[in-house]
Amino acid sequence: MSAVTTEKSKTAGAVVDEPVVPVQAGPVDEQAATAEAIAAALDPALVSRLAAQARAQGVQLLGRGGVLQQLTRRFLEAALEAEMDEHLGYDKHDPAGRDGGNSRNGKRAKTLLTEVGPVDVAVPRDREGTFAPAIVPKRSRRLGGVEDLVISLSAKGLTHGEICAHLAEVYGAEVSKDRITAITDRVMDGMAEWQNRPLDAVYPVVFIDCIHVKIRDGQVANRPIYVALAVTVDGGRDVLGLWAGDGGEGAKWWLRVLTEIRNRGVGDVHGGLRRPHGPS
């Protein structure tokens, strides 16, 4: 984990140590280390004092008006201002912005659906309209994680109404059934496109296996999901497809699955079709 350094800055005539955390881009473990460094830079006494004050005044942590919601808003707005500084090439109130070039042009209000509830942020604008923030993309109303949460709850067998109630109760977020339907339909469209994508002409070996998952079809029940996992010619792995069964699959069913694989471009499997723990 990278060390957290400090630099001196003057605030109201006093010299204050401000933590400077290096921003790392890379694998998830490096990003987690950077996030841990940022969290470690916070004054533990200040965090404890804020938590105690919130508890004493009966302020909730999550949901609309909660402490985490307000902290999220402040963090997002600070990040947006930093992105604007980088976009324009100078800091806010810097005389360099008085040369008649592109400059700030006020802010616009935007409500984001986040995992800590709806957050109202002020997004800065520039005169040329070329500012495209990365942390809060244009035309986006959701801030990471919410779509994944909807998909995860749907996969666990919750109905759209139950998902709406869960998001409202736990996160204070109001998500309509139409929005949940749009999210799940988009995932299903992507799954259909993936399931029908062209495959390589040759695979050294293809493994056929099965996993059992809970699926809601009127009622929640265990269903077998058959998986075709191939080893590619360069040594990689590729899931060729997933097929839901009912536990009574026979020769005709498997002929349909293998014909589908052939029709998607597979011409030869050198090592044949195998089960993970032995030949088929």
Side-chain angles (χ1 to χ4, degrees), residues 113-152:
L113 180 59
T114 75
E115 291 181 321
V116 297
V119 176
D120 299 323
V121 297
V123 181
R125 300 183 300 181
D126 62 333
R127 293 190 180 279
E128 297 180 357
T130 55
F131 179 50
I135 193 169
V136 182
K138 289 184 176 181
R139 293 176 293 279
S140 175
R141 292 288 178 178
R142 293 177 297 276
L143 185 66
V146 175
E147 288 196 357
D148 292 339
L149 184 59
V150 169
I151 294 167
S152 175

PDB file of all heavy atoms in Angstrom, residues 113-152:
ATOM      1  N   LEU A 113     -28.941   8.305  -8.022  1.00  0.00           N
ATOM      2  CA  LEU A 113     -29.354   7.162  -7.232  1.00  0.00           C
ATOM      3  C   LEU A 113     -28.098   6.379  -6.865  1.00  0.00           C
ATOM      4  O   LEU A 113     -27.412   5.852  -7.736  1.00  0.00           O
ATOM      5  CB  LEU A 113     -30.323   6.288  -8.022  1.00  0.00           C
ATOM      6  CG  LEU A 113     -30.845   5.036  -7.316  1.00  0.00           C
ATOM      7  CD1 LEU A 113     -31.570   5.413  -6.031  1.00  0.00           C
ATOM      8  CD2 LEU A 113     -31.755   4.250  -8.232  1.00  0.00           C
ATOM      9  N   THR A 114     -27.774   6.326  -5.578  1.00  0.00           N
ATOM     10  CA  THR A 114     -26.571   5.647  -5.117  1.00  0.00           C
ATOM     11  C   THR A 114     -26.943   4.586  -4.095  1.00  0.00           C
ATOM     12  O   THR A 114     -28.097   4.466  -3.674  1.00  0.00           O
ATOM     13  CB  THR A 114     -25.580   6.638  -4.469  1.00  0.00           C
ATOM     14  OG1 THR A 114     -26.065   7.002  -3.168  1.00  0.00           O
ATOM     15  CG2 THR A 114     -25.421   7.886  -5.319  1.00  0.00           C
ATOM     16  N   GLU A 115     -25.949   3.832  -3.654  1.00  0.00           N
ATOM     17  CA  GLU A 115     -26.197   2.778  -2.679  1.00  0.00           C
ATOM     18  C   GLU A 115     -26.461   3.331  -1.282  1.00  0.00           C
ATOM     19  O   GLU A 115     -26.842   2.583  -0.386  1.00  0.00           O
ATOM     20  CB  GLU A 115     -25.006   1.812  -2.654  1.00  0.00           C
ATOM     21  CG  GLU A 115     -24.896   0.987  -3.936  1.00  0.00           C
ATOM     22  CD  GLU A 115     -23.742   0.014  -3.906  1.00  0.00           C
ATOM     23  OE1 GLU A 115     -22.674   0.392  -3.388  1.00  0.00           O
ATOM     24  OE2 GLU A 115     -23.907  -1.107  -4.388  1.00  0.00           O
ATOM     25  N   VAL A 116     -26.235   4.627  -1.072  1.00  0.00           N
ATOM     26  CA  VAL A 116     -26.560   5.241   0.223  1.00  0.00           C
ATOM     27  C   VAL A 116     -27.815   6.091   0.110  1.00  0.00           C
ATOM     28  O   VAL A 116     -28.124   6.874   1.004  1.00  0.00           O
ATOM     29  CB  VAL A 116     -25.380   6.085   0.756  1.00  0.00           C
ATOM     30  CG1 VAL A 116     -24.174   5.217   1.014  1.00  0.00           C
ATOM     31  CG2 VAL A 116     -25.031   7.223  -0.197  1.00  0.00           C
ATOM     32  N   GLY A 117     -28.547   5.947  -0.987  1.00  0.00           N
ATOM     33  CA  GLY A 117     -29.769   6.716  -1.178  1.00  0.00           C
ATOM     34  C   GLY A 117     -29.598   7.763  -2.254  1.00  0.00           C
ATOM     35  O   GLY A 117     -28.516   7.934  -2.824  1.00  0.00           O
ATOM     36  N   PRO A 118     -30.660   8.508  -2.578  1.00  0.00           N
ATOM     37  CA  PRO A 118     -30.565   9.572  -3.581  1.00  0.00           C
ATOM     38  C   PRO A 118     -29.698  10.711  -3.077  1.00  0.00           C
ATOM     39  O   PRO A 118     -29.826  11.148  -1.935  1.00  0.00           O
ATOM     40  CB  PRO A 118     -32.027  10.006  -3.768  1.00  0.00           C
ATOM     41  CG  PRO A 118     -32.712   9.584  -2.504  1.00  0.00           C
ATOM     42  CD  PRO A 118     -32.020   8.352  -2.031  1.00  0.00           C
ATOM     43  N   VAL A 119     -28.791  11.186  -3.938  1.00  0.00           N
ATOM     44  CA  VAL A 119     -27.859  12.251  -3.570  1.00  0.00           C
ATOM     45  C   VAL A 119     -28.007  13.395  -4.567  1.00  0.00           C
ATOM     46  O   VAL A 119     -27.896  13.192  -5.781  1.00  0.00           O
ATOM     47  CB  VAL A 119     -26.400  11.741  -3.571  1.00  0.00           C
ATOM     48  CG1 VAL A 119     -25.432  12.878  -3.287  1.00  0.00           C
ATOM     49  CG2 VAL A 119     -26.228  10.629  -2.545  1.00  0.00           C
ATOM     50  N   ASP A 120     -28.272  14.596  -4.051  1.00  0.00           N
ATOM     51  CA  ASP A 120     -28.385  15.793  -4.883  1.00  0.00           C
ATOM     52  C   ASP A 120     -27.018  16.458  -4.993  1.00  0.00           C
ATOM     53  O   ASP A 120     -26.429  16.852  -3.975  1.00  0.00           O
ATOM     54  CB  ASP A 120     -29.392  16.770  -4.277  1.00  0.00           C
ATOM     55  CG  ASP A 120     -30.789  16.172  -4.177  1.00  0.00           C
ATOM     56  OD1 ASP A 120     -31.166  15.428  -5.093  1.00  0.00           O
ATOM     57  OD2 ASP A 120     -31.483  16.442  -3.175  1.00  0.00           O
ATOM     58  N   VAL A 121     -26.494  16.562  -6.211  1.00  0.00           N
ATOM     59  CA  VAL A 121     -25.181  17.162  -6.415  1.00  0.00           C
ATOM     60  C   VAL A 121     -25.298  18.345  -7.377  1.00  0.00           C
ATOM     61  O   VAL A 121     -26.220  18.415  -8.185  1.00  0.00           O
ATOM     62  CB  VAL A 121     -24.163  16.137  -6.972  1.00  0.00           C
ATOM     63  CG1 VAL A 121     -23.934  15.014  -5.989  1.00  0.00           C
ATOM     64  CG2 VAL A 121     -24.631  15.574  -8.308  1.00  0.00           C
ATOM     65  N   ALA A 122     -24.337  19.260  -7.263  1.00  0.00           N
ATOM     66  CA  ALA A 122     -24.234  20.398  -8.171  1.00  0.00           C
ATOM     67  C   ALA A 122     -23.086  20.123  -9.138  1.00  0.00           C
ATOM     68  O   ALA A 122     -21.917  20.098  -8.734  1.00  0.00           O
ATOM     69  CB  ALA A 122     -23.991  21.684  -7.397  1.00  0.00           C
ATOM     70  N   VAL A 123     -23.403  19.878 -10.390  1.00  0.00           N
ATOM     71  CA  VAL A 123     -22.403  19.533 -11.400  1.00  0.00           C
ATOM     72  C   VAL A 123     -21.928  20.814 -12.097  1.00  0.00           C
ATOM     73  O   VAL A 123     -22.746  21.541 -12.680  1.00  0.00           O
ATOM     74  CB  VAL A 123     -22.981  18.555 -12.439  1.00  0.00           C
ATOM     75  CG1 VAL A 123     -21.922  18.179 -13.476  1.00  0.00           C
ATOM     76  CG2 VAL A 123     -23.533  17.313 -11.746  1.00  0.00           C
ATOM     77  N   PRO A 124     -20.631  21.126 -12.060  1.00  0.00           N
ATOM     78  CA  PRO A 124     -20.144  22.343 -12.726  1.00  0.00           C
ATOM     79  C   PRO A 124     -20.252  22.238 -14.237  1.00  0.00           C
ATOM     80  O   PRO A 124     -20.170  21.145 -14.811  1.00  0.00           O
ATOM     81  CB  PRO A 124     -18.681  22.419 -12.268  1.00  0.00           C
ATOM     82  CG  PRO A 124     -18.311  21.020 -11.904  1.00  0.00           C
ATOM     83  CD  PRO A 124     -19.555  20.382 -11.380  1.00  0.00           C
ATOM     84  N   ARG A 125     -20.428  23.397 -14.899  1.00  0.00           N
ATOM     85  CA  ARG A 125     -20.516  23.469 -16.357  1.00  0.00           C
ATOM     86  C   ARG A 125     -19.443  24.407 -16.881  1.00  0.00           C
ATOM     87  O   ARG A 125     -18.951  25.287 -16.158  1.00  0.00           O
ATOM     88  CB  ARG A 125     -21.896  23.965 -16.781  1.00  0.00           C
ATOM     89  CG  ARG A 125     -23.051  23.103 -16.337  1.00  0.00           C
ATOM     90  CD  ARG A 125     -24.371  23.631 -16.849  1.00  0.00           C
ATOM     91  NE  ARG A 125     -24.636  24.985 -16.362  1.00  0.00           N
ATOM     92  CZ  ARG A 125     -25.739  25.678 -16.640  1.00  0.00           C
ATOM     93  NH1 ARG A 125     -26.673  25.130 -17.418  1.00  0.00           N
ATOM     94  NH2 ARG A 125     -25.919  26.887 -16.162  1.00  0.00           N
ATOM     95  N   ASP A 126     -19.085  24.220 -18.153  1.00  0.00           N
ATOM     96  CA  ASP A 126     -18.155  25.144 -18.797  1.00  0.00           C
ATOM     97  C   ASP A 126     -18.874  25.825 -19.961  1.00  0.00           C
ATOM     98  O   ASP A 126     -19.895  25.352 -20.455  1.00  0.00           O
ATOM     99  CB  ASP A 126     -16.902  24.413 -19.282  1.00  0.00           C
ATOM    100  CG  ASP A 126     -17.221  23.348 -20.327  1.00  0.00           C
ATOM    101  OD1 ASP A 126     -18.352  22.817 -20.325  1.00  0.00           O
ATOM    102  OD2 ASP A 126     -16.346  23.050 -21.152  1.00  0.00           O
ATOM    103  N   ARG A 127     -18.348  26.969 -20.398  1.00  0.00           N
ATOM    104  CA  ARG A 127     -19.022  27.771 -21.421  1.00  0.00           C
ATOM    105  C   ARG A 127     -19.096  27.050 -22.760  1.00  0.00           C
ATOM    106  O   ARG A 127     -20.042  27.228 -23.517  1.00  0.00           O
ATOM    107  CB  ARG A 127     -18.296  29.115 -21.571  1.00  0.00           C
ATOM    108  CG  ARG A 127     -18.429  29.992 -20.343  1.00  0.00           C
ATOM    109  CD  ARG A 127     -17.919  31.400 -20.609  1.00  0.00           C
ATOM    110  NE  ARG A 127     -18.059  32.246 -19.423  1.00  0.00           N
ATOM    111  CZ  ARG A 127     -19.189  32.841 -19.056  1.00  0.00           C
ATOM    112  NH1 ARG A 127     -20.283  32.687 -19.791  1.00  0.00           N
ATOM    113  NH2 ARG A 127     -19.234  33.580 -17.964  1.00  0.00           N
ATOM    114  N   GLU A 128     -18.095  26.263 -23.103  1.00  0.00           N
ATOM    115  CA  GLU A 128     -18.089  25.585 -24.392  1.00  0.00           C
ATOM    116  C   GLU A 128     -18.879  24.279 -24.378  1.00  0.00           C
ATOM    117  O   GLU A 128     -19.067  23.655 -25.424  1.00  0.00           O
ATOM    118  CB  GLU A 128     -16.641  25.321 -24.829  1.00  0.00           C
ATOM    119  CG  GLU A 128     -15.840  26.601 -25.059  1.00  0.00           C
ATOM    120  CD  GLU A 128     -14.420  26.312 -25.497  1.00  0.00           C
ATOM    121  OE1 GLU A 128     -14.053  25.110 -25.570  1.00  0.00           O
ATOM    122  OE2 GLU A 128     -13.669  27.279 -25.750  1.00  0.00           O
ATOM    123  N   GLY A 129     -19.304  23.840 -23.205  1.00  0.00           N
ATOM    124  CA  GLY A 129     -20.090  22.614 -23.106  1.00  0.00           C
ATOM    125  C   GLY A 129     -19.316  21.352 -23.417  1.00  0.00           C
ATOM    126  O   GLY A 129     -19.887  20.345 -23.838  1.00  0.00           O
ATOM    127  N   THR A 130     -17.992  21.392 -23.210  1.00  0.00           N
ATOM    128  CA  THR A 130     -17.155  20.232 -23.532  1.00  0.00           C
ATOM    129  C   THR A 130     -16.779  19.416 -22.304  1.00  0.00           C
ATOM    130  O   THR A 130     -16.096  18.399 -22.428  1.00  0.00           O
ATOM    131  CB  THR A 130     -15.863  20.695 -24.228  1.00  0.00           C
ATOM    132  OG1 THR A 130     -15.199  21.675 -23.407  1.00  0.00           O
ATOM    133  CG2 THR A 130     -16.183  21.327 -25.581  1.00  0.00           C
ATOM    134  N   PHE A 131     -17.210  19.865 -21.120  1.00  0.00           N
ATOM    135  CA  PHE A 131     -16.850  19.147 -19.895  1.00  0.00           C
ATOM    136  C   PHE A 131     -17.662  17.862 -19.796  1.00  0.00           C
ATOM    137  O   PHE A 131     -18.891  17.886 -19.780  1.00  0.00           O
ATOM    138  CB  PHE A 131     -17.106  20.031 -18.677  1.00  0.00           C
ATOM    139  CG  PHE A 131     -16.786  19.375 -17.361  1.00  0.00           C
ATOM    140  CD1 PHE A 131     -15.574  18.750 -17.156  1.00  0.00           C
ATOM    141  CD2 PHE A 131     -17.713  19.383 -16.324  1.00  0.00           C
ATOM    142  CE1 PHE A 131     -15.282  18.136 -15.948  1.00  0.00           C
ATOM    143  CE2 PHE A 131     -17.435  18.789 -15.109  1.00  0.00           C
ATOM    144  CZ  PHE A 131     -16.209  18.159 -14.924  1.00  0.00           C
ATOM    145  N   ALA A 132     -16.969  16.723 -19.748  1.00  0.00           N
ATOM    146  CA  ALA A 132     -17.615  15.413 -19.648  1.00  0.00           C
ATOM    147  C   ALA A 132     -17.033  14.692 -18.442  1.00  0.00           C
ATOM    148  O   ALA A 132     -16.038  13.962 -18.558  1.00  0.00           O
ATOM    149  CB  ALA A 132     -17.392  14.599 -20.920  1.00  0.00           C
ATOM    150  N   PRO A 133     -17.611  14.890 -17.254  1.00  0.00           N
ATOM    151  CA  PRO A 133     -17.055  14.276 -16.045  1.00  0.00           C
ATOM    152  C   PRO A 133     -17.094  12.766 -16.098  1.00  0.00           C
ATOM    153  O   PRO A 133     -18.019  12.171 -16.660  1.00  0.00           O
ATOM    154  CB  PRO A 133     -17.944  14.825 -14.929  1.00  0.00           C
ATOM    155  CG  PRO A 133     -19.222  15.207 -15.604  1.00  0.00           C
ATOM    156  CD  PRO A 133     -18.837  15.656 -16.979  1.00  0.00           C
ATOM    157  N   ALA A 134     -16.069  12.149 -15.518  1.00  0.00           N
ATOM    158  CA  ALA A 134     -15.995  10.690 -15.497  1.00  0.00           C
ATOM    159  C   ALA A 134     -16.723  10.107 -14.303  1.00  0.00           C
ATOM    160  O   ALA A 134     -17.355   9.056 -14.407  1.00  0.00           O
ATOM    161  CB  ALA A 134     -14.528  10.246 -15.487  1.00  0.00           C
ATOM    162  N   ILE A 135     -16.663  10.793 -13.153  1.00  0.00           N
ATOM    163  CA  ILE A 135     -17.261  10.233 -11.943  1.00  0.00           C
ATOM    164  C   ILE A 135     -18.781  10.297 -11.987  1.00  0.00           C
ATOM    165  O   ILE A 135     -19.468   9.438 -11.438  1.00  0.00           O
ATOM    166  CB  ILE A 135     -16.710  10.948 -10.689  1.00  0.00           C
ATOM    167  CG1 ILE A 135     -17.084  10.160  -9.437  1.00  0.00           C
ATOM    168  CG2 ILE A 135     -17.200  12.385 -10.600  1.00  0.00           C
ATOM    169  CD1 ILE A 135     -16.375  10.617  -8.190  1.00  0.00           C
ATOM    170  N   VAL A 136     -19.338  11.318 -12.648  1.00  0.00           N
ATOM    171  CA  VAL A 136     -20.785  11.440 -12.837  1.00  0.00           C
ATOM    172  C   VAL A 136     -21.026  11.678 -14.328  1.00  0.00           C
ATOM    173  O   VAL A 136     -21.146  12.816 -14.769  1.00  0.00           O
ATOM    174  CB  VAL A 136     -21.385  12.588 -12.005  1.00  0.00           C
ATOM    175  CG1 VAL A 136     -22.902  12.637 -12.196  1.00  0.00           C
ATOM    176  CG2 VAL A 136     -21.047  12.425 -10.530  1.00  0.00           C
ATOM    177  N   PRO A 137     -21.065  10.638 -15.137  1.00  0.00           N
ATOM    178  CA  PRO A 137     -21.195  10.810 -16.589  1.00  0.00           C
ATOM    179  C   PRO A 137     -22.475  11.545 -16.967  1.00  0.00           C
ATOM    180  O   PRO A 137     -23.480  11.494 -16.262  1.00  0.00           O
ATOM    181  CB  PRO A 137     -21.214   9.360 -17.102  1.00  0.00           C
ATOM    182  CG  PRO A 137     -20.582   8.550 -16.019  1.00  0.00           C
ATOM    183  CD  PRO A 137     -20.959   9.231 -14.745  1.00  0.00           C
ATOM    184  N   LYS A 138     -22.407  12.222 -18.113  1.00  0.00           N
ATOM    185  CA  LYS A 138     -23.592  12.913 -18.622  1.00  0.00           C
ATOM    186  C   LYS A 138     -24.720  11.919 -18.874  1.00  0.00           C
ATOM    187  O   LYS A 138     -24.496  10.793 -19.293  1.00  0.00           O
ATOM    188  CB  LYS A 138     -23.257  13.651 -19.923  1.00  0.00           C
ATOM    189  CG  LYS A 138     -22.363  14.878 -19.738  1.00  0.00           C
ATOM    190  CD  LYS A 138     -22.152  15.597 -21.056  1.00  0.00           C
ATOM    191  CE  LYS A 138     -21.347  16.882 -20.871  1.00  0.00           C
ATOM    192  NZ  LYS A 138     -21.151  17.597 -22.158  1.00  0.00           N
ATOM    193  N   ARG A 139     -25.940  12.373 -18.608  1.00  0.00           N
ATOM    194  CA  ARG A 139     -27.166  11.606 -18.819  1.00  0.00           C
ATOM    195  C   ARG A 139     -27.264  10.376 -17.920  1.00  0.00           C
ATOM    196  O   ARG A 139     -28.146   9.550 -18.088  1.00  0.00           O
ATOM    197  CB  ARG A 139     -27.318  11.192 -20.291  1.00  0.00           C
ATOM    198  CG  ARG A 139     -27.540  12.376 -21.222  1.00  0.00           C
ATOM    199  CD  ARG A 139     -27.595  11.934 -22.660  1.00  0.00           C
ATOM    200  NE  ARG A 139     -26.308  11.439 -23.118  1.00  0.00           N
ATOM    201  CZ  ARG A 139     -25.318  12.225 -23.522  1.00  0.00           C
ATOM    202  NH1 ARG A 139     -25.466  13.528 -23.547  1.00  0.00           N
ATOM    203  NH2 ARG A 139     -24.173  11.715 -23.926  1.00  0.00           N
ATOM    204  N   SER A 140     -26.349  10.249 -16.966  1.00  0.00           N
ATOM    205  CA  SER A 140     -26.416   9.134 -16.033  1.00  0.00           C
ATOM    206  C   SER A 140     -27.088   9.579 -14.745  1.00  0.00           C
ATOM    207  O   SER A 140     -26.765  10.637 -14.209  1.00  0.00           O
ATOM    208  CB  SER A 140     -25.007   8.608 -15.731  1.00  0.00           C
ATOM    209  OG  SER A 140     -25.054   7.600 -14.750  1.00  0.00           O
ATOM    210  N   ARG A 141     -28.014   8.788 -14.262  1.00  0.00           N
ATOM    211  CA  ARG A 141     -28.714   9.093 -13.022  1.00  0.00           C
ATOM    212  C   ARG A 141     -28.398   8.077 -11.926  1.00  0.00           C
ATOM    213  O   ARG A 141     -28.971   8.138 -10.848  1.00  0.00           O
ATOM    214  CB  ARG A 141     -30.229   9.108 -13.265  1.00  0.00           C
ATOM    215  CG  ARG A 141     -30.685  10.257 -14.148  1.00  0.00           C
ATOM    216  CD  ARG A 141     -30.594  11.574 -13.417  1.00  0.00           C
ATOM    217  NE  ARG A 141     -30.977  12.693 -14.284  1.00  0.00           N
ATOM    218  CZ  ARG A 141     -31.023  13.957 -13.868  1.00  0.00           C
ATOM    219  NH1 ARG A 141     -30.695  14.241 -12.627  1.00  0.00           N
ATOM    220  NH2 ARG A 141     -31.355  14.926 -14.702  1.00  0.00           N
ATOM    221  N   ARG A 142     -27.517   7.154 -12.215  1.00  0.00           N
ATOM    222  CA  ARG A 142     -27.167   6.149 -11.225  1.00  0.00           C
ATOM    223  C   ARG A 142     -25.662   6.163 -11.045  1.00  0.00           C
ATOM    224  O   ARG A 142     -24.909   6.263 -12.004  1.00  0.00           O
ATOM    225  CB  ARG A 142     -27.627   4.751 -11.670  1.00  0.00           C
ATOM    226  CG  ARG A 142     -29.122   4.615 -11.723  1.00  0.00           C
ATOM    227  CD  ARG A 142     -29.532   3.253 -12.241  1.00  0.00           C
ATOM    228  NE  ARG A 142     -29.080   3.038 -13.615  1.00  0.00           N
ATOM    229  CZ  ARG A 142     -29.739   3.463 -14.677  1.00  0.00           C
ATOM    230  NH1 ARG A 142     -30.853   4.121 -14.534  1.00  0.00           N
ATOM    231  NH2 ARG A 142     -29.280   3.230 -15.877  1.00  0.00           N
ATOM    232  N   LEU A 143     -25.225   6.036  -9.810  1.00  0.00           N
ATOM    233  CA  LEU A 143     -23.807   6.042  -9.496  1.00  0.00           C
ATOM    234  C   LEU A 143     -23.393   4.655  -9.059  1.00  0.00           C
ATOM    235  O   LEU A 143     -23.570   4.274  -7.913  1.00  0.00           O
ATOM    236  CB  LEU A 143     -23.500   7.045  -8.377  1.00  0.00           C
ATOM    237  CG  LEU A 143     -22.006   7.220  -8.055  1.00  0.00           C
ATOM    238  CD1 LEU A 143     -21.278   7.858  -9.237  1.00  0.00           C
ATOM    239  CD2 LEU A 143     -21.826   8.061  -6.810  1.00  0.00           C
ATOM    240  N   GLY A 144     -22.845   3.882  -9.993  1.00  0.00           N
ATOM    241  CA  GLY A 144     -22.282   2.584  -9.717  1.00  0.00           C
ATOM    242  C   GLY A 144     -22.979   1.725  -8.672  1.00  0.00           C
ATOM    243  O   GLY A 144     -23.419   2.196  -7.657  1.00  0.00           O
ATOM    244  N   GLY A 145     -23.112   0.455  -8.902  1.00  0.00           N
ATOM    245  CA  GLY A 145     -23.578  -0.469  -7.900  1.00  0.00           C
ATOM    246  C   GLY A 145     -25.075  -0.696  -7.885  1.00  0.00           C
ATOM    247  O   GLY A 145     -25.533  -1.775  -7.505  1.00  0.00           O
ATOM    248  N   VAL A 146     -25.886   0.305  -8.253  1.00  0.00           N
ATOM    249  CA  VAL A 146     -27.329   0.157  -8.151  1.00  0.00           C
ATOM    250  C   VAL A 146     -27.842  -0.871  -9.155  1.00  0.00           C
ATOM    251  O   VAL A 146     -28.644  -1.745  -8.819  1.00  0.00           O
ATOM    252  CB  VAL A 146     -28.036   1.511  -8.348  1.00  0.00           C
ATOM    253  CG1 VAL A 146     -29.543   1.330  -8.353  1.00  0.00           C
ATOM    254  CG2 VAL A 146     -27.622   2.475  -7.260  1.00  0.00           C
ATOM    255  N   GLU A 147     -27.380  -0.785 -10.392  1.00  0.00           N
ATOM    256  CA  GLU A 147     -27.814  -1.764 -11.391  1.00  0.00           C
ATOM    257  C   GLU A 147     -27.366  -3.162 -10.984  1.00  0.00           C
ATOM    258  O   GLU A 147     -28.120  -4.127 -11.124  1.00  0.00           O
ATOM    259  CB  GLU A 147     -27.255  -1.397 -12.763  1.00  0.00           C
ATOM    260  CG  GLU A 147     -27.921  -0.180 -13.391  1.00  0.00           C
ATOM    261  CD  GLU A 147     -27.625  -0.066 -14.869  1.00  0.00           C
ATOM    262  OE1 GLU A 147     -26.861  -0.910 -15.380  1.00  0.00           O
ATOM    263  OE2 GLU A 147     -28.148   0.855 -15.515  1.00  0.00           O
ATOM    264  N   ASP A 148     -26.127  -3.278 -10.477  1.00  0.00           N
ATOM    265  CA  ASP A 148     -25.647  -4.582 -10.022  1.00  0.00           C
ATOM    266  C   ASP A 148     -26.514  -5.104  -8.885  1.00  0.00           C
ATOM    267  O   ASP A 148     -26.778  -6.305  -8.790  1.00  0.00           O
ATOM    268  CB  ASP A 148     -24.194  -4.480  -9.559  1.00  0.00           C
ATOM    269  CG  ASP A 148     -23.242  -4.190 -10.702  1.00  0.00           C
ATOM    270  OD1 ASP A 148     -23.618  -4.452 -11.856  1.00  0.00           O
ATOM    271  OD2 ASP A 148     -22.129  -3.702 -10.448  1.00  0.00           O
ATOM    272  N   LEU A 149     -26.951  -4.197  -8.002  1.00  0.00           N
ATOM    273  CA  LEU A 149     -27.797  -4.598  -6.886  1.00  0.00           C
ATOM    274  C   LEU A 149     -29.146  -5.105  -7.387  1.00  0.00           C
ATOM    275  O   LEU A 149     -29.651  -6.132  -6.917  1.00  0.00           O
ATOM    276  CB  LEU A 149     -27.997  -3.425  -5.935  1.00  0.00           C
ATOM    277  CG  LEU A 149     -28.778  -3.690  -4.652  1.00  0.00           C
ATOM    278  CD1 LEU A 149     -28.105  -4.771  -3.821  1.00  0.00           C
ATOM    279  CD2 LEU A 149     -28.915  -2.403  -3.851  1.00  0.00           C
ATOM    280  N   VAL A 150     -29.741  -4.400  -8.351  1.00  0.00           N
ATOM    281  CA  VAL A 150     -31.024  -4.824  -8.914  1.00  0.00           C
ATOM    282  C   VAL A 150     -30.892  -6.200  -9.567  1.00  0.00           C
ATOM    283  O   VAL A 150     -31.733  -7.088  -9.371  1.00  0.00           O
ATOM    284  CB  VAL A 150     -31.536  -3.793  -9.936  1.00  0.00           C
ATOM    285  CG1 VAL A 150     -32.725  -4.354 -10.721  1.00  0.00           C
ATOM    286  CG2 VAL A 150     -31.930  -2.505  -9.234  1.00  0.00           C
ATOM    287  N   ILE A 151     -29.827  -6.385 -10.328  1.00  0.00           N
ATOM    288  CA  ILE A 151     -29.614  -7.661 -11.017  1.00  0.00           C
ATOM    289  C   ILE A 151     -29.405  -8.784 -10.010  1.00  0.00           C
ATOM    290  O   ILE A 151     -29.933  -9.892 -10.153  1.00  0.00           O
ATOM    291  CB  ILE A 151     -28.414  -7.551 -11.968  1.00  0.00           C
ATOM    292  CG1 ILE A 151     -28.743  -6.563 -13.096  1.00  0.00           C
ATOM    293  CG2 ILE A 151     -28.049  -8.911 -12.548  1.00  0.00           C
ATOM    294  CD1 ILE A 151     -27.545  -6.147 -13.899  1.00  0.00           C
ATOM    295  N   SER A 152     -28.624  -8.484  -8.949  1.00  0.00           N
ATOM    296  CA  SER A 152     -28.360  -9.493  -7.926  1.00  0.00           C
ATOM    297  C   SER A 152     -29.643  -9.905  -7.214  1.00  0.00           C
ATOM    298  O   SER A 152     -29.903 -11.100  -7.005  1.00  0.00           O
ATOM    299  CB  SER A 152     -27.347  -8.959  -6.917  1.00  0.00           C
ATOM    300  OG  SER A 152     -27.149  -9.873  -5.858  1.00  0.00           O
TER     301      SER A 152
END
